């Protein structure tokens, strides 16, 4: 018997901004591993978070940010753009919600939705990111690489 509830999502609101920033920071080990602390580290995270938001709003103006909920608690976020494909721009969970199947459940649901719409789900990931293993397990396959990042796709079943 599965006692773990299925995670859900809701649209992010302006009030979620502090939470989004905290999760962004916790998921960016390339930032948190730098020898910075205090105000310098906060400034760097703020700059990176703002730059990401600006890039997404310019490149994917219709992208939607959703809060991932587990038992009603904010557990993380997912940012997607939907067109001919469903593009996962970013997905992150707070550390205390990692390794509980929450990300897997959200991704499986998104892939199921996309398959019903006959659309692929795409994303970009660094091969060194532990999430790359999760994506492979969920049926994503690598379709391109620029030497630093891999483009992955989960295509509808044929």
């Amino acid at each position: 018997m599965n006692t773990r509830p299925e995670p859900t999502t809701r649209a992010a609101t302006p009030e979620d901004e502090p939470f989004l920033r905290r999760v962004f920071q916790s998921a960016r080990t390339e930032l948190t591993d730098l020898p910075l602390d205090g105000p310098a580290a906060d400034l760097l995270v703020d700059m990176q978070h703002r730059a990401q938001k600006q890039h997404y709003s310019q490149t994917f103006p219709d992208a939607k940010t959703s809060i991932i909920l587990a038992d009603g608690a904010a557990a993380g976020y997912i940012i997607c753009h939907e067109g001919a494909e469903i593009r996962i721009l970013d997905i992150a969970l707070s550390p205390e919600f990692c390794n509980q199947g929450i990300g897997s459940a959200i991704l499986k649901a998104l892939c199921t939705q996309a398959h019903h719409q006959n659309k692929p789900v795409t994303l970009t990931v660094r091969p060194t990111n532990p999430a790359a293993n999760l994506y492979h397990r969920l049926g994503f396959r690598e379709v391109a690489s620029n030497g630093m990042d891999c483009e992955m796709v989960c295509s509808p079943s044929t």
Side-chain angles (χ1 to χ4, degrees):
M1 179 173 165
N2 184 5
T3 60
R4 186 180 311 165
E6 287 297 310
T8 58
T9 61
R10 65 163 174 80
T13 66
E15 291 77 27
D16 292 312
E17 193 56 36
F19 171 76
L20 292 168
R21 185 202 174 279
R22 278 193 311 275
V23 176
F24 175 88
Q25 179 179 13
S26 71
R28 298 304 185 278
T29 57
E30 70 273 14
L31 297 177
T32 57
D33 289 347
L34 293 174
L36 298 172
D37 59 2
D42 288 342
L43 180 62
L44 179 61
V45 169
D46 284 338
M47 287 174 29
Q48 290 295 312
H49 188 235
R50 280 195 312 266
Q52 181 194 64
K53 284 180 60 172
Q54 182 178 4
H55 170 70
Y56 290 162
S57 69
Q58 290 174 345
T59 310
F60 304 98
D62 298 328
K64 306 266 188 283
T65 301
S66 298
I67 302 298
I68 298 170
L69 303 169
D71 275 340
Y77 66 82
I78 185 167
I79 305 171
C80 293
H81 177 265
E82 189 169 347
E85 65 184 15
I86 296 177
R87 177 86 181 157
I88 299 171
L89 302 174
D90 196 10
I91 182 170
L93 293 173
S94 292
E96 64 271 22
F97 290 98
C98 290
N99 301 312
Q100 296 179 28
I102 296 166
S104 295
I106 291 294
L107 292 168
K108 285 177 187 176
L110 188 60
C111 288
T112 298
Q113 171 196 333
H115 290 182
H116 286 130
Q117 297 173 3
N118 201 31
K119 294 180 179 186
V121 177
T122 61
L123 57 83
T124 302
V125 66
R126 294 225 161 132
T128 55
N129 184 329
N133 295 325
L134 169 64
Y135 302 142
H136 282 290
R137 284 194 313 272
L138 294 176
F140 283 82
R141 68 184 193 293
E142 189 175 323
V143 293
S145 176
N146 64 10
M148 182 184 289
D149 296 315
C150 294
E151 183 74 15
M152 299 187 82
V153 65
C154 184
S155 297
S157 302
T158 53

